[in-house]
Amino acid sequence: MPTYTAPAKDAQFVLHEVLDITNSGIPGYADLDREFTDAVLDAAGKVASEILAPLNAVGDTEGCHLENGVVRTPKGFKAAFEAVKEGGWNGLDLPEEYGGQGLPYLVGTAVGEFFVSGNMAFNMYQGLTHGAIGAILTHGTAEQKAAYVPKMLSLEWTGTMNLTEPHCGTDLGLMRTKAEPQADGSYRISGQKIFISAGEHDLAENIIHLVLAKAPGGGEGTKGISLFIVPKFLLNADGAPGARNAVACGKLEEKMGIHGNSTCVMNFDGATGFLIGDLHKGMRAMFTMMNEARLGVGLQGYAVAEAAYQNALAYARDRLQGRAVTGVENPSGPADPLIVHPDIRRNLMEQKSFIEGARAFTYWAAELIDRSHRLGDEAAEGLVSLMIPVLKGFQTDKGFEAAVNAQQVFGGHGYIEETGASQFVRDARIAMIYEGANGVQALDLVGRKIGQDGGKHAMAFFDLVKAFIKENEGDAALKAQFLDPLKTASKDLQAAAMFFAQAGLKNPNAALAGSYDFMHLFGHVCLGLMWARMARAAQAALAAGAADAGFYEAKLATGRFYMARQLPSTSLHLARILTGADPVMALGPDAF
């Protein structure tokens, strides 16, 4: 059975030596000293490795079952949910006035990584609840916040988001779910939603559905969409769950992965709903959640890859296969372990360098979200908004690739279910699709984000990279191995952006045909920047005589691999972008 150990030391390195969080000036960060974050991460790591990870394969093989309208979750999930509930983990970064601990979003992000690595399907129950709480806190009335948030924060109740319908996913303007106003101020919600994660289950006493629907008078398209709170059980006057609402799970979806999470078809048959936020402004309410929701999915990309990598590494160290071409390295055994072979090393290094770079990128983005929320920093908000489609799209693509690479290390045994390697591949695949498929992320990046506010956020990113290079170019080793490759990659990114600005005005397809390559080009530059920052921190630690020199030397070696072997991908992506639309659009629809 696969195992998982939380990489707390790697997380601490990013938090304290790369981001230097206690000196960031962000309210609440000064309290996040090493002793405190070590205690939080140690406790979270134990939950992830000792409670959640052992249930990962159970959830995959057993799945969820619909019985008389109730979804039964896999064996052990309810007890694990109670453990997470009792630990107060869902309220870690939520307001104290509702029972949370009020810690920065960054801390919740680091803990979330461990929980996702331990059991992605399980973590979605509380993860979706956390997102629904965010929407209610931002757009709900004082009465709605008081009625729903404390119980959702404590996980006595859970939450969902109901967007997708059988005929519309990305294009929500085609939505058919209706909301009919009632004399008492409520609405009758009628329609069907699909792909609703955690839409029905047996883990909590109530489920609070957030539902997008069209109310009269809103007009066509997305302008007519409003957001509604639709509880599974309506609340009595004392706030306790009462009568059953007219909402039910009609079907459980059979999925490729995340079998432990209930993905439901939800039927609303005149269910009672309550408007949240402004009428006909439901899309705005939904999009306030998007930066954090998409960061969470980008995190899933590398967090599942981390678990897959750990197991592939263990197998590569133990499995005897062939002899090293440079001479026997295991003379007491019949063969050498897989890890002696260069192609296995390449495979593992590709996984390791991506995962560690993605962790730093994700934590940095979480820090920017905190900076935006806690300081009202509009520049930070603009920068993280620019990078979110990159973080979500690039990291889930590369995370899936890393999980496949981990499976490859196992050879034929990776294709056999008992090793668990295939589950990581199947679970990782969904992250490329939900919260906006990655092609849509690329279109959002090129079509909206790089030109947003006159392109000032894209320019701010370029200036940030230039400033880092200039600030550190006096370090010869850093310059040759990290800064020069980063400068080359950044120039590729700027050249691509310039091509879009020029060619896109004449032919929008010329820009959009290269959008996916641009998303990956941007992602490599972001990870290149992260590796340059990590290399600087590792060099400083070694220069200061760090006790664990091997840890920092490994960081430098891994970073050098990324800069030498992965970052040059930017030139390929640029070459593809510069071909414009013609190669992509040459065939008419009937010619395929």
Side-chain angles (χ1 to χ4, degrees):
M1 178 182 291
T3 60
Y4 168 71
T5 302
K9 188 168 186 175
D10 290 274
Q12 289 281 67
F13 170 69
V14 175
L15 293 175
H16 295 287
E17 296 175 66
V18 180
L19 298 179
D20 191 19
I21 56 175
T22 56
N23 295 313
S24 68
I26 300 173
Y29 272 46
D31 299 327
L32 304 180
D33 58 39
R34 278 183 176 269
E35 184 177 359
F36 178 79
T37 57
D38 188 58
V40 172
L41 295 178
D42 180 65
K46 287 179 180 176
V47 172
S49 62
E50 298 174 11
I51 298 175
L52 304 187
L55 294 174
N56 200 36
V58 174
D60 185 56
T61 55
E62 185 176 323
C64 297
H65 303 281
L66 182 61
E67 299 176 359
N68 300 318
V70 177
V71 171
R72 303 299 179 188
T73 52
K75 182 180 179 181
F77 269 43
K78 192 165 183 59
F81 195 77
E82 288 300 312
V84 171
K85 179 177 167 182
E86 290 170 12
W89 291 106
N90 194 50
L92 197 66
D93 56 353
L94 291 171
E96 293 177 88
E97 64 184 292
Y98 298 104
Q101 298 174 51
L103 294 175
Y105 176 68
L106 174 60
V107 179
T109 298
V111 169
E113 177 199 324
F114 294 177
F115 285 7
V116 171
S117 291
N119 194 324
M120 176 178 166
F122 174 90
N123 190 66
M124 290 171 67
Y125 291 100
Q126 66 263 22
L128 289 158
T129 303
H130 193 282
I133 291 170
I136 296 173
L137 286 174
T138 304
H139 298 283
T141 64
E143 292 76 15
Q144 288 171 336
K145 293 174 188 177
Y148 297 106
V149 171
K151 295 287 190 179
M152 294 171 72
L153 188 152
S154 67
L155 292 179
E156 292 172 76
W157 303 348
T158 60
T160 70
M161 179 57 103
N162 290 246
L163 285 71
T164 306
E165 299 183 5
H167 53 280
C168 74
T170 301
D171 189 355
L172 291 173
L174 301 175
M175 187 176 296
R176 294 174 186 162
T177 300
K178 299 296 183 184
E180 301 174 11
Q182 304 299 296
D184 63 358
S186 67
Y187 288 77
R188 287 175 61 85
I189 311 298
S190 300
Q192 186 180 77
K193 299 289 185 176
I194 63 170
F195 305 157
I196 308 306
S197 300
E200 169 60 37
H201 56 78
D202 58 0
L203 301 177
E205 65 176 2
N206 205 357
I207 302 173
I208 311 305
H209 301 288
L210 297 188
V211 184
L212 288 178
K214 286 189 173 182
E220 296 299 318
T222 58
K223 293 179 181 178
I225 294 175
S226 301
L227 184 64
F228 300 90
I229 294 175
V230 185
K232 175 181 176 180
F233 292 99
L234 295 168
L235 306 189
N236 292 330
D238 62 359
R244 177 66 189 260
N245 206 352
V247 52
C249 173
K251 177 188 174 185
L252 273 180
E253 301 287 6
E254 295 288 338
K255 310 186 298 292
M256 175 180 175
I258 55 168
H259 295 153
N261 192 266
S262 55
T263 304
C264 303
V265 174
M266 301 301 298
N267 296 321
F268 297 85
D269 298 315
T272 300
F274 307 94
L275 180 69
I276 177 171
D278 296 330
L279 188 65
H280 308 315
K281 302 293 184 183
M283 293 299 291
R284 183 174 68 184
M286 183 189 70
F287 275 112
T288 59
M289 300 166 51
M290 281 304 173
N291 278 353
E292 294 183 18
R294 287 174 174 167
L295 182 144
V297 177
L299 179 151
Q300 289 178 339
Y302 81 84
V304 173
E306 167 71 39
Y309 164 74
Q310 288 188 16
N311 286 277
L313 175 61
Y315 187 82
R317 286 172 169 164
D318 292 341
R319 173 74 168 179
L320 301 182
Q321 199 78 63
R323 290 294 188 185
V325 294
T326 53
V328 174
E329 295 198 18
N330 179 34
S332 61
D336 291 330
L338 279 172
I339 202 165
V340 306
H341 303 300
D343 191 61
I344 295 293
R345 293 282 187 92
R346 171 204 58 78
N347 187 324
L348 293 170
M349 286 294 281
E350 286 184 3
Q351 296 174 58
K352 179 177 172 64
S353 64
F354 159 70
I355 292 164
E356 294 179 18
R359 176 178 296 114
F361 183 25
T362 304
Y363 287 15
W364 177 44
E367 181 195 45
L368 288 172
I369 289 175
D370 276 331
R371 188 175 294 278
S372 168
H373 291 173
R374 292 177 173 238
L375 285 172
D377 189 328
E378 293 182 1
E381 182 178 2
L383 186 57
V384 78
S385 181
L386 168 72
M387 295 190 300
I388 283 296
V390 180
L391 192 149
K392 192 279 183 187
F394 175 75
Q395 288 191 178
T396 57
D397 277 356
K398 302 303 279 189
F400 175 72
E401 180 182 306
V404 171
N405 282 345
Q407 183 186 38
Q408 190 73 12
V409 171
F410 285 86
H413 291 282
Y415 205 68
I416 303 300
E417 291 296 337
E418 68 185 39
T419 66
S422 76
Q423 183 188 351
F424 296 125
V425 174
R426 291 183 284 104
D427 286 356
R429 186 65 182 89
I430 185 57
M432 301 163 69
I433 298 170
Y434 60 17
E435 283 297 340
N438 287 354
V440 176
Q441 300 298 322
L443 295 179
D444 179 48
L445 175 65
V446 171
R448 291 198 315 124
K449 295 297 177 63
I450 60 172
Q452 197 167 32
D453 296 327
K456 73 175 184 179
H457 306 304
M459 292 306 300
F461 178 81
F462 294 140
D463 289 343
L464 187 152
V465 174
K466 289 176 185 175
F468 181 86
I469 292 171
K470 185 174 182 180
E471 177 187 345
N472 295 282
E473 60 188 0
D475 184 323
L478 198 66
K479 182 178 185 301
Q481 297 170 349
F482 291 90
L483 302 184
D484 287 348
L486 177 60
K487 182 184 290 186
T488 298
S490 181
K491 287 181 177 178
D492 287 343
L493 183 63
Q494 293 175 68
M498 184 63 69
F499 173 78
F500 290 155
Q502 294 172 346
L505 291 175
K506 300 174 184 177
N507 179 9
N509 281 340
L512 299 184
S515 60
Y516 212 92
D517 279 287
F518 186 78
M519 181 177 72
H520 275 252
L521 199 168
F522 206 149
H524 279 297
V525 173
C526 288
L527 262 63
L529 175 62
M530 292 300 101
W531 270 116
R533 292 179 68 178
M534 286 190 283
R536 181 178 66 176
Q539 286 187 172
L542 289 170
D548 190 0
F551 174 82
Y552 297 104
E553 289 166 354
K555 286 291 178 194
L556 289 169
T558 306
R560 286 192 291 265
F561 174 90
Y562 192 88
M563 304 309 271
R565 297 280 302 229
Q566 301 295 85
L567 194 57
S569 298
T570 60
S571 63
L572 170 63
H573 291 302
L574 176 61
R576 289 172 172 168
I577 290 167
L578 295 180
T579 64
D582 289 347
V584 174
M585 305 300 290
L587 289 181
D590 295 335
F592 280 88

